[in-house]
Amino acid sequence: MSTRRKFFIIFCFIILNAFLLVGFLVIRDATSINKLKKEVGELTELNILEDRYNRPIKTKGGYAIVEKAIKEYLDDYAVSVQSINELIHDPQLSKILSYDNYLEDGPDFQNSLAYLESSKKTFNDQMDDLLKDLEEEQIMENIYKRTNDSYYIALYEELMFDGDMTEELKESQQMFVETREKVNGIYDTSFNVLNFLITYNGQWKLEDGQIKFETQELLNYYNDLIAKVQEKKDD
């Protein structure tokens, strides 16, 4: 066999192996992308108020970096939402203006006022952090700190800002802004009710499971304040 023929055969083998390698890489990437997109699609079906997103990583290599970034971001987001939800539905907040609490903590309401102040601050601090985390810059920072590969950064951006995921995040952001206003209204109006009772201490009493005032004017004012609290809860 001539040297030229041997060279040609070797060259053909190199070309064939190159095509096989490229084909393998293309198929592997396509499989990884499909697996990643399927996993992200399943994440959008979870309940942010109940579920956690720290599920096992299904992909490998750079795709695993993207998958982990998405899951860790969403899991931190879910934990924050669930913590805020617990504050909003805290039984102590719901009974702060109840007859039983008036009986237990009145007429100076020191414990109730301290609770409202502390709970409101915690709520607003957590809400500020949550809304900041929903900003696009913060979402992208989650992948920048993990890789500088433009391909995987672009893939992360596509998955986070295209389709169902971005729609859900935008809706959540608007909902949280409205929730913050509503809940702060409940805190503030509850403060007003308790301060009213402190100011007019001696002109009201607890009797037969009810709060009773010495004048109709005071009763009307109290009822107006309670109605405002209920209005905030019903919004």
Side-chain angles (χ1 to χ4, degrees):
M1 183 181 295
S2 65
T3 301
R4 180 179 295 180
R5 183 172 177 80
K6 287 181 180 179
F7 175 79
F8 177 75
I9 293 173
I10 293 172
F11 177 76
C12 288
F13 273 117
I14 292 174
I15 295 297
L16 178 60
N17 287 335
F19 275 117
L20 290 175
L21 178 60
V22 170
F24 168 76
L25 293 175
V26 169
I27 293 173
R28 186 191 66 179
D29 282 356
T31 302
S32 296
I33 291 174
N34 289 335
K35 186 180 293 185
L36 178 58
K37 289 184 176 180
K38 179 182 178 183
E39 189 69 10
V40 171
E42 291 178 0
L43 294 178
T44 62
E45 300 298 321
L46 298 179
N47 188 332
I48 196 71
L49 292 175
E50 299 176 359
D51 297 323
R52 294 289 301 272
Y53 293 73
N54 53 343
R55 296 159 39 136
I57 303 300
K58 303 291 182 65
T59 56
K60 296 180 180 180
Y63 297 100
I65 293 175
V66 175
E67 183 182 353
K68 187 175 182 180
I70 292 173
K71 287 181 175 178
E72 288 189 355
Y73 171 81
L74 291 177
D75 193 59
D76 289 343
Y77 169 58
V79 169
S80 297
V81 171
Q82 290 166 22
S83 177
I84 289 173
N85 191 53
E86 288 179 4
L87 280 173
I88 295 173
H89 295 94
D90 184 355
Q92 188 171 352
L93 178 61
S94 64
K95 71 173 188 177
I96 202 80
L97 302 181
S98 69
Y99 179 88
D100 288 341
N101 190 58
Y102 291 170
L103 194 63
E104 179 182 342
D105 197 36
D108 55 7
F109 298 104
Q110 290 185 3
N111 294 329
S112 298
L113 291 174
Y115 163 77
L116 285 174
E117 183 177 0
S118 174
S119 183
K120 180 182 178 181
K121 183 180 185 307
T122 300
F123 168 78
N124 280 290
D125 287 347
Q126 291 187 7
M127 187 62 81
D128 288 343
D129 289 342
L130 181 61
L131 288 172
K132 182 179 179 180
D133 287 341
L134 284 170
E135 294 175 359
E136 183 173 340
E137 181 179 347
Q138 287 297 116
I139 294 175
M140 289 305 300
E141 182 61 31
N142 192 46
I143 190 66
Y144 291 148
K145 65 185 181 183
R146 300 170 190 272
T147 181
N148 58 6
D149 189 306
S150 60
Y151 172 76
Y152 294 113
I153 290 174
L155 180 59
Y156 172 87
E157 185 174 16
E158 175 189 343
L159 293 172
M160 290 299 293
F161 294 105
D162 289 344
D164 294 339
M165 186 74 73
T166 186
E167 190 64 30
E168 181 177 324
L169 292 176
K170 286 181 180 178
E171 290 177 0
S172 295
Q173 191 171 33
Q174 180 59 35
M175 180 188 69
F176 292 138
V177 170
E178 295 171 359
T179 298
R180 180 170 61 180
E181 181 179 354
K182 170 185 172 180
V183 175
N184 276 312
I186 293 173
Y187 282 124
D188 292 341
T189 311
S190 296
F191 269 117
N192 291 340
V193 172
L194 296 183
N195 284 323
F196 167 76
L197 294 177
I198 292 170
T199 300
Y200 291 95
N201 179 27
Q203 298 185 56
W204 57 271
K205 62 182 179 179
L206 301 173
E207 187 176 85
D208 302 326
Q210 295 181 327
I211 182 170
K212 299 181 179 181
F213 292 86
E214 288 187 355
T215 68
Q216 186 64 40
E217 182 181 8
L218 289 175
L219 175 62
N220 291 342
Y221 191 81
Y222 172 80
N223 286 336
D224 286 344
L225 289 175
I226 294 297
K228 289 179 181 179
V229 176
Q230 190 59 48
E231 182 181 335
K232 293 293 183 182
K233 291 180 178 180
D234 293 340
D235 282 347

mmCIF file of all heavy atoms in Angstrom, residues 145-178:
data_model
loop_
_atom_site.group_PDB
_atom_site.id
_atom_site.type_symbol
_atom_site.label_atom_id
_atom_site.label_comp_id
_atom_site.label_asym_id
_atom_site.label_seq_id
_atom_site.Cartn_x
_atom_site.Cartn_y
_atom_site.Cartn_z
ATOM 1 N N LYS A 145 -22.625 34.549 39.236
ATOM 2 C CA LYS A 145 -21.705 34.119 40.290
ATOM 3 C C LYS A 145 -21.331 32.646 40.165
ATOM 4 O O LYS A 145 -20.487 32.163 40.918
ATOM 5 C CB LYS A 145 -22.313 34.377 41.674
ATOM 6 C CG LYS A 145 -23.556 33.568 41.972
ATOM 7 C CD LYS A 145 -24.156 33.977 43.312
ATOM 8 C CE LYS A 145 -25.397 33.165 43.641
ATOM 9 N NZ LYS A 145 -26.020 33.607 44.915
ATOM 10 N N ARG A 146 -21.946 31.930 39.213
ATOM 11 C CA ARG A 146 -21.688 30.501 39.054
ATOM 12 C C ARG A 146 -20.864 30.164 37.813
ATOM 13 O O ARG A 146 -20.155 29.163 37.788
ATOM 14 C CB ARG A 146 -23.015 29.735 38.985
ATOM 15 C CG ARG A 146 -23.882 29.902 40.224
ATOM 16 C CD ARG A 146 -25.278 29.326 39.984
ATOM 17 N NE ARG A 146 -26.202 29.666 41.042
ATOM 18 C CZ ARG A 146 -26.381 28.960 42.145
ATOM 19 N NH1 ARG A 146 -25.689 27.844 42.322
ATOM 20 N NH2 ARG A 146 -27.237 29.334 43.067
ATOM 21 N N THR A 147 -20.990 30.979 36.778
ATOM 22 C CA THR A 147 -20.275 30.696 35.527
ATOM 23 C C THR A 147 -20.109 31.978 34.725
ATOM 24 O O THR A 147 -20.922 32.909 34.853
ATOM 25 C CB THR A 147 -21.032 29.660 34.679
ATOM 26 O OG1 THR A 147 -20.286 29.392 33.484
ATOM 27 C CG2 THR A 147 -22.414 30.142 34.294
ATOM 28 N N ASN A 148 -19.080 32.019 33.908
ATOM 29 C CA ASN A 148 -18.901 33.138 32.977
ATOM 30 C C ASN A 148 -19.044 32.675 31.530
ATOM 31 O O ASN A 148 -18.709 33.402 30.597
ATOM 32 C CB ASN A 148 -17.538 33.803 33.189
ATOM 33 C CG ASN A 148 -16.375 32.831 33.022
ATOM 34 O OD1 ASN A 148 -16.566 31.675 32.629
ATOM 35 N ND2 ASN A 148 -15.170 33.291 33.319
ATOM 36 N N ASP A 149 -19.535 31.461 31.335
ATOM 37 C CA ASP A 149 -19.755 30.911 29.995
ATOM 38 C C ASP A 149 -21.009 31.547 29.401
ATOM 39 O O ASP A 149 -22.121 31.370 29.923
ATOM 40 C CB ASP A 149 -19.915 29.389 30.083
ATOM 41 C CG ASP A 149 -19.919 28.731 28.704
ATOM 42 O OD1 ASP A 149 -20.727 29.145 27.856
ATOM 43 O OD2 ASP A 149 -19.133 27.784 28.499
ATOM 44 N N SER A 150 -20.844 32.279 28.306
ATOM 45 C CA SER A 150 -21.959 33.027 27.715
ATOM 46 C C SER A 150 -23.100 32.115 27.256
ATOM 47 O O SER A 150 -24.271 32.513 27.280
ATOM 48 C CB SER A 150 -21.463 33.868 26.536
ATOM 49 O OG SER A 150 -20.883 33.033 25.534
ATOM 50 N N TYR A 151 -22.775 30.893 26.832
ATOM 51 C CA TYR A 151 -23.813 29.964 26.374
ATOM 52 C C TYR A 151 -24.751 29.603 27.508
ATOM 53 O O TYR A 151 -25.983 29.660 27.362
ATOM 54 C CB TYR A 151 -23.181 28.698 25.796
ATOM 55 C CG TYR A 151 -24.193 27.614 25.484
ATOM 56 C CD1 TYR A 151 -25.013 27.700 24.367
ATOM 57 C CD2 TYR A 151 -24.339 26.518 26.334
ATOM 58 C CE1 TYR A 151 -25.956 26.717 24.086
ATOM 59 C CE2 TYR A 151 -25.276 25.525 26.066
ATOM 60 C CZ TYR A 151 -26.083 25.633 24.943
ATOM 61 O OH TYR A 151 -27.024 24.661 24.679
ATOM 62 N N TYR A 152 -24.192 29.233 28.647
ATOM 63 C CA TYR A 152 -25.018 28.817 29.776
ATOM 64 C C TYR A 152 -25.718 30.008 30.434
ATOM 65 O O TYR A 152 -26.831 29.876 30.949
ATOM 66 C CB TYR A 152 -24.179 28.045 30.791
ATOM 67 C CG TYR A 152 -23.685 26.737 30.234
ATOM 68 C CD1 TYR A 152 -22.322 26.520 30.005
ATOM 69 C CD2 TYR A 152 -24.575 25.721 29.887
ATOM 70 C CE1 TYR A 152 -21.871 25.323 29.465
ATOM 71 C CE2 TYR A 152 -24.125 24.525 29.341
ATOM 72 C CZ TYR A 152 -22.771 24.331 29.130
ATOM 73 O OH TYR A 152 -22.343 23.144 28.582
ATOM 74 N N ILE A 153 -25.083 31.166 30.389
ATOM 75 C CA ILE A 153 -25.741 32.374 30.886
ATOM 76 C C ILE A 153 -26.965 32.696 30.049
ATOM 77 O O ILE A 153 -28.044 33.005 30.567
ATOM 78 C CB ILE A 153 -24.758 33.571 30.887
ATOM 79 C CG1 ILE A 153 -23.689 33.359 31.966
ATOM 80 C CG2 ILE A 153 -25.496 34.879 31.125
ATOM 81 C CD1 ILE A 153 -22.588 34.404 31.941
ATOM 82 N N ALA A 154 -26.812 32.595 28.718
ATOM 83 C CA ALA A 154 -27.936 32.868 27.813
ATOM 84 C C ALA A 154 -29.048 31.841 27.996
ATOM 85 O O ALA A 154 -30.242 32.180 27.935
ATOM 86 C CB ALA A 154 -27.443 32.868 26.368
ATOM 87 N N LEU A 155 -28.674 30.586 28.229
ATOM 88 C CA LEU A 155 -29.672 29.537 28.437
ATOM 89 C C LEU A 155 -30.448 29.795 29.721
ATOM 90 O O LEU A 155 -31.684 29.664 29.750
ATOM 91 C CB LEU A 155 -28.983 28.174 28.494
ATOM 92 C CG LEU A 155 -29.893 26.956 28.721
ATOM 93 C CD1 LEU A 155 -30.939 26.846 27.620
ATOM 94 C CD2 LEU A 155 -29.051 25.680 28.795
ATOM 95 N N TYR A 156 -29.753 30.164 30.777
ATOM 96 C CA TYR A 156 -30.405 30.505 32.051
ATOM 97 C C TYR A 156 -31.370 31.670 31.854
ATOM 98 O O TYR A 156 -32.510 31.634 32.333
ATOM 99 C CB TYR A 156 -29.330 30.868 33.074
ATOM 100 C CG TYR A 156 -29.856 31.430 34.374
ATOM 101 C CD1 TYR A 156 -30.219 30.590 35.433
ATOM 102 C CD2 TYR A 156 -29.966 32.802 34.566
ATOM 103 C CE1 TYR A 156 -30.685 31.111 36.630
ATOM 104 C CE2 TYR A 156 -30.429 33.338 35.764
ATOM 105 C CZ TYR A 156 -30.787 32.484 36.791
ATOM 106 O OH TYR A 156 -31.249 33.002 37.986
ATOM 107 N N GLU A 157 -30.906 32.697 31.157
ATOM 108 C CA GLU A 157 -31.735 33.876 30.911
ATOM 109 C C GLU A 157 -32.988 33.500 30.121
ATOM 110 O O GLU A 157 -34.098 33.981 30.418
ATOM 111 C CB GLU A 157 -30.936 34.937 30.161
ATOM 112 C CG GLU A 157 -31.688 36.240 29.963
ATOM 113 C CD GLU A 157 -30.810 37.311 29.349
ATOM 114 O OE1 GLU A 157 -29.727 36.960 28.810
ATOM 115 O OE2 GLU A 157 -31.181 38.490 29.404
ATOM 116 N N GLU A 158 -32.819 32.650 29.132
ATOM 117 C CA GLU A 158 -33.963 32.206 28.327
ATOM 118 C C GLU A 158 -34.985 31.473 29.177
ATOM 119 O O GLU A 158 -36.186 31.728 29.080
ATOM 120 C CB GLU A 158 -33.477 31.283 27.203
ATOM 121 C CG GLU A 158 -34.616 30.679 26.382
ATOM 122 C CD GLU A 158 -34.123 29.603 25.425
ATOM 123 O OE1 GLU A 158 -32.910 29.540 25.165
ATOM 124 O OE2 GLU A 158 -34.958 28.801 24.962
ATOM 125 N N LEU A 159 -34.516 30.574 30.019
ATOM 126 C CA LEU A 159 -35.435 29.773 30.834
ATOM 127 C C LEU A 159 -36.121 30.604 31.912
ATOM 128 O O LEU A 159 -37.277 30.334 32.272
ATOM 129 C CB LEU A 159 -34.676 28.612 31.474
ATOM 130 C CG LEU A 159 -34.160 27.549 30.505
ATOM 131 C CD1 LEU A 159 -33.255 26.560 31.228
ATOM 132 C CD2 LEU A 159 -35.316 26.808 29.845
ATOM 133 N N MET A 160 -35.416 31.607 32.429
ATOM 134 C CA MET A 160 -35.990 32.416 33.509
ATOM 135 C C MET A 160 -36.897 33.533 32.999
ATOM 136 O O MET A 160 -37.810 33.955 33.711
ATOM 137 C CB MET A 160 -34.867 33.028 34.356
ATOM 138 C CG MET A 160 -34.104 32.023 35.207
ATOM 139 S SD MET A 160 -35.155 31.160 36.414
ATOM 140 C CE MET A 160 -35.587 32.502 37.516
ATOM 141 N N PHE A 161 -36.671 34.003 31.782
ATOM 142 C CA PHE A 161 -37.397 35.191 31.319
ATOM 143 C C PHE A 161 -38.275 34.951 30.099
ATOM 144 O O PHE A 161 -38.864 35.896 29.580
ATOM 145 C CB PHE A 161 -36.412 36.333 31.034
ATOM 146 C CG PHE A 161 -35.717 36.841 32.259
ATOM 147 C CD1 PHE A 161 -34.394 36.515 32.498
ATOM 148 C CD2 PHE A 161 -36.392 37.608 33.189
ATOM 149 C CE1 PHE A 161 -33.740 36.971 33.635
ATOM 150 C CE2 PHE A 161 -35.755 38.068 34.329
ATOM 151 C CZ PHE A 161 -34.426 37.746 34.557
ATOM 152 N N ASP A 162 -38.363 33.732 29.638
ATOM 153 C CA ASP A 162 -39.254 33.424 28.520
ATOM 154 C C ASP A 162 -40.335 32.454 28.999
ATOM 155 O O ASP A 162 -40.066 31.561 29.792
ATOM 156 C CB ASP A 162 -38.494 32.789 27.349
ATOM 157 C CG ASP A 162 -37.606 33.798 26.645
ATOM 158 O OD1 ASP A 162 -37.811 35.009 26.858
ATOM 159 O OD2 ASP A 162 -36.713 33.384 25.889
ATOM 160 N N GLY A 163 -41.538 32.621 28.490
ATOM 161 C CA GLY A 163 -42.595 31.646 28.762
ATOM 162 C C GLY A 163 -43.225 31.770 30.140
ATOM 163 O O GLY A 163 -43.346 32.853 30.711
ATOM 164 N N ASP A 164 -43.639 30.636 30.698
ATOM 165 C CA ASP A 164 -44.419 30.591 31.931
ATOM 166 C C ASP A 164 -43.670 31.154 33.127
ATOM 167 O O ASP A 164 -44.261 31.776 34.008
ATOM 168 C CB ASP A 164 -44.839 29.148 32.240
ATOM 169 C CG ASP A 164 -45.807 28.598 31.204
ATOM 170 O OD1 ASP A 164 -46.442 29.418 30.510
ATOM 171 O OD2 ASP A 164 -45.921 27.365 31.087
ATOM 172 N N MET A 165 -42.363 30.926 33.182
ATOM 173 C CA MET A 165 -41.592 31.353 34.345
ATOM 174 C C MET A 165 -41.632 32.861 34.522
ATOM 175 O O MET A 165 -41.920 33.369 35.608
ATOM 176 C CB MET A 165 -40.150 30.882 34.228
ATOM 177 C CG MET A 165 -39.312 31.159 35.457
ATOM 178 S SD MET A 165 -39.706 30.048 36.815
ATOM 179 C CE MET A 165 -38.944 28.524 36.198
ATOM 180 N N THR A 166 -41.339 33.605 33.465
ATOM 181 C CA THR A 166 -41.307 35.062 33.580
ATOM 182 C C THR A 166 -42.690 35.629 33.849
ATOM 183 O O THR A 166 -42.852 36.607 34.585
ATOM 184 C CB THR A 166 -40.713 35.702 32.305
ATOM 185 O OG1 THR A 166 -40.576 37.100 32.514
ATOM 186 C CG2 THR A 166 -41.600 35.473 31.091
ATOM 187 N N GLU A 167 -43.722 35.002 33.279
ATOM 188 C CA GLU A 167 -45.089 35.460 33.514
ATOM 189 C C GLU A 167 -45.455 35.308 34.982
ATOM 190 O O GLU A 167 -46.061 36.198 35.591
ATOM 191 C CB GLU A 167 -46.070 34.657 32.644
ATOM 192 C CG GLU A 167 -47.489 35.204 32.635
ATOM 193 C CD GLU A 167 -47.588 36.580 32.023
ATOM 194 O OE1 GLU A 167 -46.768 36.895 31.135
ATOM 195 O OE2 GLU A 167 -48.477 37.338 32.436
ATOM 196 N N GLU A 168 -45.067 34.192 35.550
ATOM 197 C CA GLU A 168 -45.350 33.944 36.967
ATOM 198 C C GLU A 168 -44.608 34.928 37.864
ATOM 199 O O GLU A 168 -45.170 35.437 38.843
ATOM 200 C CB GLU A 168 -44.960 32.508 37.331
ATOM 201 C CG GLU A 168 -45.252 32.148 38.783
ATOM 202 C CD GLU A 168 -44.925 30.694 39.079
ATOM 203 O OE1 GLU A 168 -45.137 29.841 38.200
ATOM 204 O OE2 GLU A 168 -44.467 30.421 40.203
ATOM 205 N N LEU A 169 -43.357 35.217 37.548
ATOM 206 C CA LEU A 169 -42.566 36.140 38.356
ATOM 207 C C LEU A 169 -43.126 37.562 38.273
ATOM 208 O O LEU A 169 -43.168 38.280 39.282
ATOM 209 C CB LEU A 169 -41.105 36.123 37.912
ATOM 210 C CG LEU A 169 -40.342 34.819 38.186
ATOM 211 C CD1 LEU A 169 -38.936 34.892 37.609
ATOM 212 C CD2 LEU A 169 -40.276 34.528 39.683
ATOM 213 N N LYS A 170 -43.563 37.984 37.095
ATOM 214 C CA LYS A 170 -44.142 39.320 36.933
ATOM 215 C C LYS A 170 -45.442 39.446 37.713
ATOM 216 O O LYS A 170 -45.693 40.454 38.384
ATOM 217 C CB LYS A 170 -44.391 39.607 35.445
ATOM 218 C CG LYS A 170 -43.134 39.896 34.643
ATOM 219 C CD LYS A 170 -43.469 40.181 33.191
ATOM 220 C CE LYS A 170 -42.207 40.471 32.384
ATOM 221 N NZ LYS A 170 -42.513 40.715 30.952
ATOM 222 N N GLU A 171 -46.283 38.427 37.630
ATOM 223 C CA GLU A 171 -47.541 38.438 38.367
ATOM 224 C C GLU A 171 -47.283 38.448 39.873
ATOM 225 O O GLU A 171 -47.983 39.139 40.631
ATOM 226 C CB GLU A 171 -48.392 37.223 37.992
ATOM 227 C CG GLU A 171 -48.948 37.291 36.581
ATOM 228 C CD GLU A 171 -49.731 36.035 36.208
ATOM 229 O OE1 GLU A 171 -49.831 35.124 37.055
ATOM 230 O OE2 GLU A 171 -50.254 35.986 35.083
ATOM 231 N N SER A 172 -46.278 37.706 40.304
ATOM 232 C CA SER A 172 -45.943 37.652 41.721
ATOM 233 C C SER A 172 -45.477 39.014 42.211
ATOM 234 O O SER A 172 -45.847 39.456 43.305
ATOM 235 C CB SER A 172 -44.847 36.611 41.970
ATOM 236 O OG SER A 172 -45.309 35.313 41.671
ATOM 237 N N GLN A 173 -44.664 39.681 41.418
ATOM 238 C CA GLN A 173 -44.138 40.983 41.815
ATOM 239 C C GLN A 173 -45.269 41.984 42.050
ATOM 240 O O GLN A 173 -45.296 42.684 43.061
ATOM 241 C CB GLN A 173 -43.186 41.504 40.740
ATOM 242 C CG GLN A 173 -42.379 42.728 41.159
ATOM 243 C CD GLN A 173 -41.300 43.055 40.149
ATOM 244 O OE1 GLN A 173 -41.470 42.842 38.948
ATOM 245 N NE2 GLN A 173 -40.188 43.580 40.596
ATOM 246 N N GLN A 174 -46.224 42.033 41.140
ATOM 247 C CA GLN A 174 -47.359 42.938 41.289
ATOM 248 C C GLN A 174 -48.219 42.543 42.479
ATOM 249 O O GLN A 174 -48.679 43.403 43.250
ATOM 250 C CB GLN A 174 -48.206 42.931 40.004
ATOM 251 C CG GLN A 174 -49.420 43.841 40.055
ATOM 252 C CD GLN A 174 -49.056 45.293 40.300
ATOM 253 O OE1 GLN A 174 -48.017 45.779 39.832
ATOM 254 N NE2 GLN A 174 -49.885 46.010 41.041
ATOM 255 N N MET A 175 -48.409 41.240 42.669
ATOM 256 C CA MET A 175 -49.221 40.758 43.786
ATOM 257 C C MET A 175 -48.588 41.127 45.122
ATOM 258 O O MET A 175 -49.269 41.528 46.064
ATOM 259 C CB MET A 175 -49.389 39.241 43.700
ATOM 260 C CG MET A 175 -50.224 38.646 44.837
ATOM 261 S SD MET A 175 -50.200 36.847 44.840
ATOM 262 C CE MET A 175 -48.489 36.518 45.328
ATOM 263 N N PHE A 176 -47.253 41.034 45.211
ATOM 264 C CA PHE A 176 -46.570 41.342 46.465
ATOM 265 C C PHE A 176 -46.629 42.833 46.781
ATOM 266 O O PHE A 176 -46.708 43.220 47.944
ATOM 267 C CB PHE A 176 -45.127 40.850 46.431
ATOM 268 C CG PHE A 176 -45.009 39.352 46.408
ATOM 269 C CD1 PHE A 176 -44.085 38.714 45.596
ATOM 270 C CD2 PHE A 176 -45.832 38.560 47.199
ATOM 271 C CE1 PHE A 176 -43.980 37.333 45.575
ATOM 272 C CE2 PHE A 176 -45.738 37.184 47.180
ATOM 273 C CZ PHE A 176 -44.813 36.568 46.366
ATOM 274 N N VAL A 177 -46.564 43.666 45.758
ATOM 275 C CA VAL A 177 -46.698 45.109 45.974
ATOM 276 C C VAL A 177 -48.067 45.418 46.572
ATOM 277 O O VAL A 177 -48.194 46.196 47.534
ATOM 278 C CB VAL A 177 -46.498 45.885 44.654
ATOM 279 C CG1 VAL A 177 -46.886 47.353 44.832
ATOM 280 C CG2 VAL A 177 -45.055 45.779 44.183
ATOM 281 N N GLU A 178 -49.098 44.799 46.020
ATOM 282 C CA GLU A 178 -50.464 45.001 46.515
ATOM 283 C C GLU A 178 -50.630 44.411 47.915
ATOM 284 O O GLU A 178 -51.296 45.005 48.776
ATOM 285 C CB GLU A 178 -51.464 44.371 45.552
ATOM 286 C CG GLU A 178 -51.485 45.041 44.183
ATOM 287 C CD GLU A 178 -52.322 44.279 43.163
ATOM 288 O OE1 GLU A 178 -52.870 43.213 43.531
ATOM 289 O OE2 GLU A 178 -52.430 44.754 42.018
#
